[in-house]
Amino acid sequence: MKAVILAGGLGTRLSEETSIRPKPMVEIGGKPILWHIMKIYSAHGINDFIICCGYKGYIIKEYFANYFLHMSDVTFDMRFNQMNVHSGYAEPWRVTLVNTGDNTMTGGRLKQVREHLGNDTFCFTYGDGVCDVNITELIKLHKAQNTLATLTAVQPAGRFGAISLGQEQTKITSFREKPEGDGAWINGGYFVLEPQVIDFIADDSTVWEKEPLEKLADMEQLSAYKHNGFWQPMDTLRDKNYLEDLWKSGQAPWKVW
């Protein structure tokens, strides 16, 4: 099975990092968050990736072009212009990088990689969020539901501290730094899709989360895999630092490999 990853957005809310590189190349623990996402899929046996590039996509291409070099011990003999690789580890990945344009919307990017997908079920997600979703079970549910699309539904924690305070009350009776949120399920990415869903995408200006998903839902062709575990997007510098702290602590929940 193949996994398509969106990696072309500007990441404007993380401008401290994305002024010099695309958002999926922002590092957590010294590795791009894109690498972390691919490792999650690889842990479930999915090693064939299609990366939808856009903004500063050449940086992603250069990263994979030099991946083996990055991961190896190497000697450069400057006198003879030689390079000797001593040891290294390469992932069992096949990576197709497609330039889908700087300004293309999420649906348009998916439509542009149609020729690389064949006629089989595939995975699809955003290049800026990590979680510990059981992708094997997600795929199993998708096939059991027999719908064209399945998304991973999550309940994110509240972003700010929550307090209990009545109408006339001035003393706080409870405080929670990271409340569970309002109970609403939201789209957490990590889709499993049938190739027919691309027929619902009109052109480069189509936003995947609007007309295509709305139409699939209206047709009862959109299922949800409820994920109660860890899920965290990297939208802001605060998010990035939170993920970095989890990684440094050795307790990163998304590290399933």
Side-chain angles (χ1 to χ4, degrees):
M1 186 176 286
K2 296 181 179 181
V4 178
I5 304 175
L6 293 174
L10 292 173
T12 53
R13 285 188 290 175
L14 197 59
S15 58
E16 301 91 344
E17 294 273 358
T18 56
S19 61
I20 57 172
R21 55 187 158 186
K23 190 178 179 184
M25 294 304 291
V26 174
E27 294 184 351
I28 303 297
K31 296 285 196 309
I33 193 167
L34 176 61
W35 177 89
H36 290 263
I37 295 166
M38 294 169 74
K39 289 287 284 186
I40 293 168
Y41 277 109
S42 191
H44 291 272
I46 298 174
N47 295 301
D48 196 342
F49 298 97
I50 300 167
I51 313 296
C52 301
C53 301
Y55 171 70
K56 294 186 182 292
Y58 64 89
I59 293 176
I60 303 176
K61 292 178 181 177
E62 288 172 357
Y63 175 76
F64 286 106
N66 295 306
Y67 187 85
F68 191 72
L69 185 61
H70 292 164
M71 303 296 286
S72 305
D73 296 330
V74 62
T75 295
F76 295 100
D77 192 324
M78 311 304 284
R79 296 167 299 171
F80 302 107
N81 193 28
Q82 292 179 342
M83 179 182 75
N84 295 314
V85 177
H86 302 296
S87 62
Y89 173 75
E91 304 287 350
W93 297 344
R94 182 176 186 268
V95 185
T96 301
L97 299 149
V98 181
N99 180 16
T100 57
D102 284 6
N103 301 311
T104 307
M105 296 294 102
T106 49
R109 294 190 192 282
L110 177 56
K111 190 177 183 71
Q112 285 198 33
V113 302
R114 176 68 182 89
E115 65 181 287
H116 300 284
L117 289 171
N119 297 311
D120 298 323
T121 306
F122 65 96
C123 293
F124 177 52
T125 198
Y126 309 106
D128 62 356
V130 289
C131 67
D132 59 357
V133 62
N134 187 327
I135 290 171
T136 302
E137 290 299 315
L138 166 63
I139 294 168
K140 189 183 297 183
L141 177 129
H142 170 78
K143 292 182 176 178
Q145 292 293 309
N146 198 31
T147 53
L148 294 177
T150 300
L151 61 76
T152 297
V154 297
Q155 291 178 299
R159 298 184 68 86
F160 304 102
I163 60 176
S164 292
L165 202 60
Q167 187 71 26
E168 304 296 330
Q169 193 175 338
T170 56
K171 288 187 177 179
I172 295 170
T173 55
S174 79
F175 178 88
R176 288 179 295 158
E177 172 57 19
K178 284 192 179 291
E180 290 301 314
D182 61 7
W185 292 92
I186 68 167
N187 167 25
Y190 290 87
F191 298 88
V192 183
L193 306 173
E194 299 303 321
Q196 297 96 301
V197 301
I198 298 176
D199 296 336
F200 294 83
I201 301 170
D203 52 34
D204 285 357
S205 66
T206 302
V207 176
W208 167 247
E209 300 78 14
K210 291 187 178 178
E211 291 88 350
L213 284 187
E214 290 169 2
K215 186 76 177 294
L216 287 163
D218 289 343
M219 296 172 59
E220 298 186 353
Q221 286 296 319
L222 179 61
S223 299
Y225 177 84
K226 291 183 177 179
H227 174 59
N228 292 299
F230 179 85
W231 174 83
Q232 178 65 50
M234 188 182 64
D235 290 328
T236 65
L237 188 60
R238 174 181 173 170
D239 295 334
K240 191 259 186 192
N241 291 337
Y242 172 60
L243 292 171
E244 186 70 43
D245 289 343
L246 283 174
W247 186 264
K248 286 180 179 177
S249 73
Q251 298 178 349
W254 71 90
K255 188 179 184 298
V256 295
W257 57 90

